[in-house]
Tab-separated table of all heavy atoms in Angstrom:
chain	number	residue	atom	x	y	z
A	89	ALA	N	-8.035	38.865	44.867
A	89	ALA	CA	-7.197	38.432	43.757
A	89	ALA	C	-7.626	39.182	42.450
A	89	ALA	O	-6.748	39.679	41.711
A	89	ALA	CB	-7.280	36.917	43.552
A	90	THR	N	-8.881	39.223	42.182
A	90	THR	CA	-9.334	39.894	40.969
A	90	THR	C	-9.129	41.448	41.071
A	90	THR	O	-8.788	42.056	40.040
A	90	THR	CB	-10.852	39.658	40.656
A	90	THR	OG1	-11.609	39.977	41.775
A	90	THR	CG2	-11.016	38.166	40.300
A	91	ALA	N	-9.282	42.026	42.219
A	91	ALA	CA	-9.000	43.451	42.375
A	91	ALA	C	-7.535	43.759	42.170
A	91	ALA	O	-7.186	44.751	41.528
A	91	ALA	CB	-9.462	43.920	43.769
A	92	THR	N	-6.652	42.861	42.634
A	92	THR	CA	-5.241	43.028	42.454
A	92	THR	C	-4.870	42.949	40.984
A	92	THR	O	-4.087	43.790	40.460
A	92	THR	CB	-4.426	41.934	43.210
A	92	THR	OG1	-4.838	42.029	44.624
A	92	THR	CG2	-2.938	42.131	43.099
A	93	ILE	N	-5.426	41.996	40.258
A	93	ILE	CA	-5.195	41.875	38.836
A	93	ILE	C	-5.702	43.118	38.140
A	93	ILE	O	-5.036	43.631	37.176
A	93	ILE	CB	-5.819	40.587	38.267
A	93	ILE	CG1	-5.078	39.395	38.847
A	93	ILE	CG2	-5.830	40.578	36.750
A	93	ILE	CD1	-5.796	38.042	38.550
A	94	TRP	N	-6.893	43.615	38.557
A	94	TRP	CA	-7.443	44.771	37.921
A	94	TRP	C	-6.580	46.005	38.102
A	94	TRP	O	-6.356	46.800	37.159
A	94	TRP	CB	-8.861	45.055	38.511
A	94	TRP	CG	-9.506	46.286	37.925
A	94	TRP	CD1	-10.116	46.360	36.725
A	94	TRP	CD2	-9.499	47.578	38.542
A	94	TRP	NE1	-10.600	47.656	36.556
A	94	TRP	CE2	-10.197	48.437	37.637
A	94	TRP	CE3	-9.051	48.066	39.720
A	94	TRP	CZ2	-10.409	49.715	37.921
A	94	TRP	CZ3	-9.309	49.408	39.999
A	94	TRP	CH2	-9.951	50.223	39.124
A	95	VAL	N	-5.986	46.164	39.255
A	95	VAL	CA	-5.086	47.292	39.577
A	95	VAL	C	-3.847	47.236	38.688
A	95	VAL	O	-3.495	48.235	38.018
A	95	VAL	CB	-4.668	47.373	41.014
A	95	VAL	CG1	-3.506	48.310	41.242
A	95	VAL	CG2	-5.886	47.747	41.881
A	96	PHE	N	-3.210	46.067	38.597
A	96	PHE	CA	-2.003	45.934	37.766
A	96	PHE	C	-2.363	46.105	36.282
A	96	PHE	O	-1.577	46.762	35.563
A	96	PHE	CB	-1.321	44.643	37.990
A	96	PHE	CG	-0.509	44.617	39.250
A	96	PHE	CD1	-0.858	43.735	40.324
A	96	PHE	CD2	0.558	45.461	39.451
A	96	PHE	CE1	-0.171	43.764	41.476
A	96	PHE	CE2	1.307	45.460	40.626
A	96	PHE	CZ	0.959	44.609	41.645
A	97	TRP	N	-3.441	45.588	35.811
A	97	TRP	CA	-3.834	45.776	34.440
A	97	TRP	C	-4.185	47.193	34.109
A	97	TRP	O	-3.821	47.701	33.048
A	97	TRP	CB	-5.066	44.852	34.077
A	97	TRP	CG	-5.414	44.997	32.645
A	97	TRP	CD1	-6.387	45.707	32.111
A	97	TRP	CD2	-4.700	44.418	31.524
A	97	TRP	NE1	-6.462	45.588	30.742
A	97	TRP	CE2	-5.365	44.815	30.343
A	97	TRP	CE3	-3.558	43.627	31.395
A	97	TRP	CZ2	-4.955	44.473	29.072
A	97	TRP	CZ3	-3.168	43.295	30.138
A	97	TRP	CH2	-3.834	43.664	29.038
A	98	SER	N	-4.824	47.884	35.036
A	98	SER	CA	-5.116	49.311	34.822
A	98	SER	C	-3.817	50.131	34.757
A	98	SER	O	-3.745	51.052	33.874
A	98	SER	CB	-6.005	49.835	35.978
A	98	SER	OG	-7.273	49.161	35.970
A	99	LEU	N	-2.859	49.857	35.580
A	99	LEU	CA	-1.607	50.536	35.523
A	99	LEU	C	-0.888	50.254	34.194
A	99	LEU	O	-0.343	51.164	33.583
A	99	LEU	CB	-0.665	50.153	36.700
A	99	LEU	CG	-1.170	50.637	38.073
A	99	LEU	CD1	-0.303	49.961	39.159
A	99	LEU	CD2	-1.161	52.109	38.177
A	100	TYR	N	-0.894	49.032	33.762
A	100	TYR	CA	-0.294	48.670	32.507
A	100	TYR	C	-0.984	49.347	31.345
A	100	TYR	O	-0.304	49.891	30.463
A	100	TYR	CB	-0.430	47.104	32.359
A	100	TYR	CG	0.224	46.541	31.115
A	100	TYR	CD1	1.590	46.399	31.059
A	100	TYR	CD2	-0.494	46.096	30.017
A	100	TYR	CE1	2.217	45.858	30.006
A	100	TYR	CE2	0.056	45.587	28.925
A	100	TYR	CZ	1.436	45.461	28.905
A	100	TYR	OH	2.036	44.892	27.779
A	101	HIS	N	-2.281	49.445	31.379
A	101	HIS	CA	-3.075	50.118	30.351
A	101	HIS	C	-2.812	51.615	30.361
A	101	HIS	O	-2.698	52.268	29.334
A	101	HIS	CB	-4.574	49.817	30.483
A	101	HIS	CG	-5.410	50.410	29.440
A	101	HIS	ND1	-5.451	49.951	28.168
A	101	HIS	CD2	-6.236	51.516	29.469
A	101	HIS	CE1	-6.260	50.704	27.439
A	101	HIS	NE2	-6.771	51.640	28.210
A	102	SER	N	-2.789	52.204	31.583
A	102	SER	CA	-2.532	53.638	31.718
A	102	SER	C	-1.159	54.055	31.268
A	102	SER	O	-0.963	55.168	30.797
A	102	SER	CB	-2.694	54.075	33.206
A	102	SER	OG	-4.065	53.817	33.597
A	103	ALA	N	-0.213	53.128	31.310
A	103	ALA	CA	1.136	53.419	30.824
A	103	ALA	C	1.269	53.296	29.316
A	103	ALA	O	2.332	53.430	28.748
A	103	ALA	CB	2.158	52.469	31.501
A	104	ARG	N	0.124	53.068	28.629
A	104	ARG	CA	0.049	52.929	27.155
A	104	ARG	C	0.887	51.786	26.689
A	104	ARG	O	1.563	51.869	25.623
A	104	ARG	CB	0.491	54.215	26.505
A	104	ARG	CG	-0.374	55.436	26.853
A	104	ARG	CD	-1.772	55.202	26.516
A	104	ARG	NE	-2.406	56.198	25.650
A	104	ARG	CZ	-3.651	56.130	25.295
A	104	ARG	NH1	-4.342	55.067	25.625
A	104	ARG	NH2	-4.173	57.062	24.607
A	105	LEU	N	0.863	50.692	27.390
A	105	LEU	CA	1.548	49.461	26.976
A	105	LEU	C	0.559	48.547	26.312
A	105	LEU	O	-0.657	48.702	26.458
A	105	LEU	CB	2.266	48.827	28.124
A	105	LEU	CG	3.333	49.731	28.779
A	105	LEU	CD1	3.807	49.046	30.096
A	105	LEU	CD2	4.507	50.007	27.861
A	106	GLY	N	1.026	47.505	25.666
A	106	GLY	CA	0.093	46.505	25.038
A	106	GLY	C	-0.771	47.137	23.997
A	106	GLY	O	-0.349	47.963	23.228
A	107	ALA	N	-2.055	46.766	23.980
A	107	ALA	CA	-2.961	47.219	22.912
A	107	ALA	C	-3.410	48.649	23.121
A	107	ALA	O	-4.125	49.202	22.284
A	107	ALA	CB	-4.149	46.296	22.832
A	108	ALA	N	-3.017	49.257	24.220
A	108	ALA	CA	-3.379	50.634	24.455
A	108	ALA	C	-2.408	51.608	23.755
A	108	ALA	O	-2.626	52.782	23.810
A	108	ALA	CB	-3.404	50.943	25.935
A	109	ARG	N	-1.355	51.076	23.117
A	109	ARG	CA	-0.416	51.970	22.455
A	109	ARG	C	-1.061	52.663	21.289
A	109	ARG	O	-1.994	52.173	20.653
A	109	ARG	CB	0.773	51.104	21.941
A	109	ARG	CG	1.658	50.607	23.030
A	109	ARG	CD	2.868	49.937	22.498
A	109	ARG	NE	2.441	49.038	21.425
A	109	ARG	CZ	3.260	48.203	20.832
A	109	ARG	NH1	4.481	48.226	21.095
A	109	ARG	NH2	2.818	47.444	19.871
A	110	LYS	N	-0.539	53.849	20.962
A	110	LYS	CA	-1.079	54.627	19.877
A	110	LYS	C	-0.939	53.923	18.544
A	110	LYS	O	-1.821	54.077	17.661
A	110	LYS	CB	-0.315	55.957	19.780
A	110	LYS	CG	-0.723	56.930	20.859
A	110	LYS	CD	-0.034	58.247	20.557
A	110	LYS	CE	-0.466	59.233	21.584
A	110	LYS	NZ	0.097	60.554	21.422
A	111	SER	N	0.110	53.101	18.325
A	111	SER	CA	0.242	52.419	17.034
A	111	SER	C	-0.921	51.472	16.766
A	111	SER	O	-1.337	51.304	15.637
A	111	SER	CB	1.512	51.617	17.023
A	111	SER	OG	1.517	50.617	18.057
A	112	PHE	N	-1.528	50.928	17.774
A	112	PHE	CA	-2.702	50.048	17.539
A	112	PHE	C	-3.953	50.874	17.264
A	112	PHE	O	-4.725	50.557	16.372
A	112	PHE	CB	-2.999	49.104	18.781
A	112	PHE	CG	-1.999	48.005	18.899
A	112	PHE	CD1	-1.312	47.860	20.089
A	112	PHE	CD2	-1.804	47.146	17.872
A	112	PHE	CE1	-0.407	46.842	20.233
A	112	PHE	CE2	-0.890	46.119	17.992
A	112	PHE	CZ	-0.175	45.964	19.155
A	113	ASN	N	-4.115	51.931	17.944
A	113	ASN	CA	-5.333	52.801	17.861
A	113	ASN	C	-5.227	53.644	16.546
A	113	ASN	O	-6.264	53.881	15.945
A	113	ASN	CB	-5.521	53.648	19.027
A	113	ASN	CG	-5.790	52.803	20.260
A	113	ASN	OD1	-6.372	51.760	20.192
A	113	ASN	ND2	-5.307	53.306	21.371
A	114	ALA	N	-4.081	54.108	16.187
A	114	ALA	CA	-3.951	55.067	15.013
A	114	ALA	C	-4.101	54.367	13.696
A	114	ALA	O	-4.581	54.947	12.786
A	114	ALA	CB	-2.630	55.795	15.142
Side-chain angles (χ1 to χ4, degrees):
T90 56
T92 303
I93 292 169
W94 179 80
V95 166
F96 282 115
W97 182 257
S98 296
L99 292 172
Y100 184 76
H101 182 75
S102 296
R104 299 302 231 181
L105 300 171
R109 289 185 314 183
K110 285 185 178 182
S111 62
F112 286 124
N113 296 328

